[in-house]
Amino acid sequence: MVKSKNDRFMKVFHIVAACAFLTGIADTAQAYTGQELEGQAKISMVDARKIALKAHPGKITDEELEVEGGGSGLRYSFDVQNKHSKKVYEVGVDAKTGKVLENAPEGKNPD
């Protein structure tokens, strides 16, 4: 069966669009502040997100991996917007143990 030029064009278009979409997802999923520290973490960003959202359900609006006092000294920090009140909470997850180190309303001077 011979396909028309339009059929071939549409097939190529869909493949390119799918690749562009998946590349965008990969970039979004991997880009966060402190990514250069992830080699020191025992807990992955994906697992840390799950821990944070279990501690405080909502939508993550900001995330980072940082060196900070308390726990092992390396923590994931998430800003989680509460679903009901729209208030933002900071949830800190130890990057080596997975323990929740902080779960409190964001202060007046956010990080």
Side-chain angles (χ1 to χ4, degrees):
M1 173 186 237
V2 177
K3 292 187 175 189
S4 70
K5 286 183 180 181
N6 190 41
D7 288 340
R8 283 183 274 181
F9 171 79
M10 289 307 293
K11 183 176 181 178
V12 171
F13 175 79
H14 285 120
I15 291 170
V16 170
C19 289
F21 176 75
L22 293 173
T23 301
I25 289 174
D27 288 346
T28 302
Q30 294 180 14
Y32 58 89
T33 304
Q35 193 171 9
E36 68 278 359
L37 299 170
E38 72 183 354
Q40 299 173 39
K42 292 184 179 173
I43 305 296
S44 71
M45 175 60 90
V46 171
D47 289 338
R49 283 186 197 115
K50 290 176 187 176
I51 294 166
L53 290 173
K54 185 174 181 183
H56 197 93
K59 178 183 177 187
I60 294 175
T61 60
D62 190 36
E63 58 191 13
E64 66 181 319
L65 179 57
E66 60 188 342
V67 175
E68 190 167 317
S72 68
L74 185 64
R75 82 166 62 185
Y76 291 102
S77 181
F78 300 94
D79 289 347
V80 181
Q81 187 173 22
N82 185 284
K83 290 180 181 181
H84 303 290
S85 70
K86 303 296 182 192
K87 188 166 184 122
V88 176
Y89 281 72
E90 183 165 353
V91 181
V93 177
D94 191 294
K96 294 186 179 180
T97 67
K99 181 179 178 184
V100 175
L101 302 172
E102 180 179 12
N103 185 0
E106 183 75 80
K108 290 181 181 182
N109 300 313
D111 302 314

